[in-house]
Amino acid sequence: MLAPDQFLLGIALTVLLAVGSQIVASRLRIPALILLLPAGFTAGALTDVVHPDKLAPGNFSSIVSLSVAVILYDAGLGLRLRQLRSTTRSVVLRLLVLGVLGTWASVMALVPALFGVPFPVAVLLGAVLVVSGPTVVGPLLDHVRPPDRVRRILIWEGTLIDPVGAILGTLVLHSLIAGDFQLSRGFHPGEFALSWLVGLVGGAVGAALLWFLLHRLRLGESLGTLAQLATVVAVSAGCDIVRDDTGLIAAVVAGLAVANLPGLGMPARRPFFETLVQLIIGLLFVTISAGVTPSSVRPVLLPTLALIGALVLVVRPLVAWISTHGRGLPRGERAFTAWMAPRGIVAASTASAFAATLAGAGLPGSEKILPVTFLVIVGTVLVYGLTAAPVAAALGINRPARARPLIVGGRPWSVDLARCLTSAGLNVTMWTATEEQRQQVRRAGIEPAPGELLAAATDPSGRLEEVTALLLLTDDDDFNALVSVVARDSVDGPVHRVGPPPDAPGAVATRTGADVLFGPGLGRDVLAARHEQGARFTVGAPGEGPPPGHDALFVLRADGRLDPATEARPARPGPGDRLVLLGPAPGGRPAQGPPAGGR
């Protein structure tokens, strides 16, 4: 037990390491886990105040279980059943079944020879290492940007395999203890089904409570977030009281149900809840890794490297290749699926709890479970985190880093702007209101967006995939202003609108704002008038500023990103960057307002 001052120091240091590691990782554009685990391990080696047994003696495993339940609930909210089509569903089911059986059997066969531990320890360690996890897979996929089908397969697999592995490990643990470390004496197949039944019932209860709270009572964002947190914690705790670790199943089921129940309209982005989950992930990884001592890692380091090599180079490729055979996936997508199976928070949390329980029961070799799991997590995250992008590029399946803006509007000047951006190498798509304007877009060589795309952008529960920016360039200023607010959570990138004329009659649109394009003096009326009088959009030379009489509208970064100029952020090109410019009207004629009507 720590003294009050030491406890406060431990909490402060844990939070600082958790948040600081994620901030640094975001700046370096690497998975946060690469920094979180070494940070916690170092803090645990140099101090005593971050150790989980000191911060929460006797209750740490329960805290971890509830925290992981919150994480898995959030992961379940991101699963849409409409995305689980026949091919995806078949591959995910195969990966789950073959992944669990193949990984478990491989670890059971290798661990006794590599580490010299009894077979029961190998069985339990195999159950721990079958899991993957969305908290690790998701950030890696965000960095690599593979095709949507591959992303869905890996996210579904990582989310669903976590509770499977946790339940499997718990049953093995209880069977070993009940059978005096003889698995055959204490194992009862019906217990696995009973655990799943408890978890499914708990998930159904949680979904019903959340449907009542969110749909019937119509709680706002703040109270709705609190209601979700309280419901998940209460249901998960209740399930764990009935059957250990069944709360994880309940959490995933509740999240999956809430995400797909009609009438709830869960937003694609949940800023407060996502922030909470990120904090929980950081705290768990720091505290769990702090419980691993250098003296426990040294004896198992080399054998663990051999185990990691077998899992990465043999087991996962074999499982993935069999699971994707005959499912219609291109060879590159199959190969990338075979190169993505990092271990995450569930492996760390279950290993921490199981090792402590078995050590207390006196099972020889149980002290190696946590350091081996720790090294497998670190090793797999390093391997996949550092190689995923190059492998995806070599396989030709990563989406290009260049911007893919969606332009909404069909006026001649906006079509000409889209043509200019396309000529600069961007993958531009346009949404227009009428078939006549769509024909104009096609004649300009631009890809017309499907009609339902804008509906997806304005659906709070939807997500625009592959679109990196939304540019609203219609003549309806209120439409632009409203959609810029509604679609902000559905686009994986910035949302901007063109500025209204100074005397615009709109009731919602304002003249200024962080999302208004191009700054003062370049509203839609001026842009349309200058274009009608002969001004054209061009792309400047790398590193050069705007020539006299030209206005900078965008900065096309050397890495393919598109940064618009706004009133708050003027266009400032760096080395290798190019400016998208609007030139002057021939003859210097003054700009006049455009004709009315249309989008």
Side-chain angles (χ1 to χ4, degrees):
M1 179 71 71
L2 295 175
D5 290 347
Q6 291 178 313
F7 178 79
L8 291 175
L9 177 61
I11 293 295
L13 184 58
T14 302
V15 173
L16 285 175
L17 289 174
V19 177
S21 297
Q22 295 187 66
I23 292 175
V24 174
S26 68
R27 303 300 296 176
L28 298 177
R29 296 186 179 182
I30 60 175
L33 197 57
I34 292 178
L35 299 182
L36 284 169
L37 290 175
F41 178 75
T42 304
L46 299 179
T47 72
D48 291 330
V49 295
V50 183
H51 198 281
D53 290 337
K54 301 291 182 64
L55 290 174
N59 297 312
F60 183 68
S61 61
S62 299
I63 296 173
V64 169
S65 179
L66 294 178
S67 300
V68 174
V70 174
I71 295 171
L72 292 183
Y73 169 76
D74 182 69
L77 289 177
L79 301 179
R80 297 291 192 271
L81 290 176
R82 63 176 179 267
Q83 298 176 349
L84 197 63
R85 295 169 182 153
S86 56
T87 299
T88 303
R89 180 172 60 252
S90 174
V91 173
V92 169
L93 290 176
R94 289 185 179 192
L95 286 173
L96 289 174
V97 175
L98 296 178
V100 169
L101 296 179
T103 304
W104 195 15
S106 301
V107 174
M108 284 191 294
L110 292 171
V111 163
L114 289 174
F115 301 98
V117 297
F119 183 69
V121 174
V123 175
L124 186 60
L125 189 56
V128 168
L129 294 180
V130 301
V131 301
S132 177
T135 59
V136 187
V137 174
L140 286 176
L141 297 180
D142 290 340
H143 178 64
V144 176
R145 294 173 56 82
D148 294 327
R149 177 169 51 185
V150 174
R151 178 183 178 86
R152 291 167 186 162
I153 289 173
L154 294 173
I155 289 293
W156 272 91
E157 179 203 8
T159 302
L160 297 180
I161 203 170
D162 274 356
V164 173
I167 292 297
L168 187 63
T170 301
L171 292 177
V172 171
L173 174 68
H174 290 172
S175 300
L176 290 175
I177 295 176
D180 195 21
F181 303 140
Q182 298 296 320
L183 188 63
S184 59
R185 297 179 185 175
F187 181 72
H188 301 287
E191 292 187 358
F192 187 77
L194 180 59
S195 295
W196 271 93
L197 178 61
V198 172
L200 291 174
V201 171
V205 171
L209 286 173
L210 289 170
W211 184 87
F212 174 77
L213 293 170
L214 301 178
H215 180 69
R216 300 292 295 177
L217 298 186
R218 298 189 180 277
L219 301 178
E221 181 178 353
S222 298
L223 287 178
T225 300
L226 294 176
Q228 292 177 72
L229 180 61
T231 302
V232 172
V233 169
V235 170
S236 299
C239 290
D240 284 343
I241 291 172
V242 177
R243 298 279 297 180
D244 286 346
D245 285 327
T246 54
L248 302 185
I249 299 176
V252 172
V253 170
L256 184 61
V258 168
N260 293 277
L261 282 174
L264 284 179
M266 292 297 293
R269 291 181 177 175
R270 304 163 297 278
F272 177 79
F273 209 92
E274 291 174 353
T275 302
L276 176 65
V277 168
Q278 286 298 111
L279 178 60
I280 291 174
I281 291 171
L283 295 176
L284 287 181
F285 274 124
V286 168
T287 52
I288 290 174
S289 57
V292 182
T293 62
S295 60
S296 67
V297 168
R298 293 190 197 100
V300 300
L301 179 58
L302 292 180
T304 304
L305 293 179
L307 178 62
I308 293 171
L311 292 174
V312 170
L313 299 176
V314 179
V315 178
R316 176 62 181 188
L318 183 61
V319 166
W321 207 251
I322 295 174
S323 300
T324 57
H325 178 69
R327 297 294 93 189
L329 270 68
R331 182 178 296 270
E333 295 184 11
R334 294 180 67 191
F336 185 78
T337 303
W339 193 255
M340 187 56 58
R343 272 58 179 180
I345 189 61
V346 173
S349 61
T350 52
S352 177
F354 296 167
T357 302
L358 287 178
L363 177 61
S366 59
E367 72 280 356
K368 295 182 179 180
I369 293 176
L370 183 57
V372 170
T373 304
F374 172 80
L375 290 174
V376 169
I377 294 172
V378 174
T380 55
V381 169
L382 282 174
V383 169
Y384 295 123
L386 298 177
T387 64
V391 167
L395 295 172
I397 66 164
N398 59 332
R399 293 203 298 263
R402 61 179 181 171
R404 188 174 192 266
L406 168 61
I407 294 179
V408 178
R411 302 292 293 175
W413 72 270
S414 60
V415 176
D416 197 25
L417 174 60
R419 185 191 293 112
C420 175
L421 295 177
T422 300
S423 67
L426 302 186
N427 189 9
V428 181
T429 183
M430 289 193 73
W431 183 92
T432 59
T434 66
E435 180 59 32
E436 179 184 355
Q437 291 176 338
R438 281 191 285 274
Q439 293 298 332
Q440 294 175 357
V441 168
R442 291 188 183 94
R443 286 194 293 270
I446 310 298
E447 176 191 357
E452 63 270 14
L453 189 63
L454 192 63
T458 55
D459 180 3
S461 63
R463 192 73 172 268
L464 276 182
E465 297 178 340
E466 300 186 11
V467 172
T468 61
L470 178 62
L471 306 178
L472 299 160
L473 308 182
T474 78
D475 283 350
D476 190 331
D477 301 312
D478 283 344
F479 172 87
N480 295 338
L482 288 172
V483 173
S484 70
V485 175
V486 174
R488 193 165 295 150
D489 289 338
S490 301
V491 180
D492 190 17
V495 178
H496 293 285
R497 60 190 173 97
V498 69
D503 56 349
V508 178
T510 57
R511 298 183 186 179
T512 60
D515 61 340
V516 173
L517 290 167
F518 312 141
L522 285 175
R524 62 172 175 82
D525 56 336
V526 175
L527 292 167
R530 284 175 58 173
H531 182 267
E532 184 179 349
Q533 295 166 5
R536 290 296 175 260
F537 300 99
T538 58
V539 179
E544 293 186 0
H550 289 68
D551 292 293
L553 307 182
F554 299 92
V555 180
L556 182 58
R557 301 297 179 186
D559 60 2
R561 292 180 293 115
L562 184 69
D563 290 339
T566 64
E567 185 172 358
R569 188 179 59 187
R572 293 191 178 92
D577 297 342
R578 295 177 293 166
L579 291 176
V580 178
L581 305 164
L582 176 62
R589 289 177 292 174
Q592 298 175 356
R599 280 189 182 172

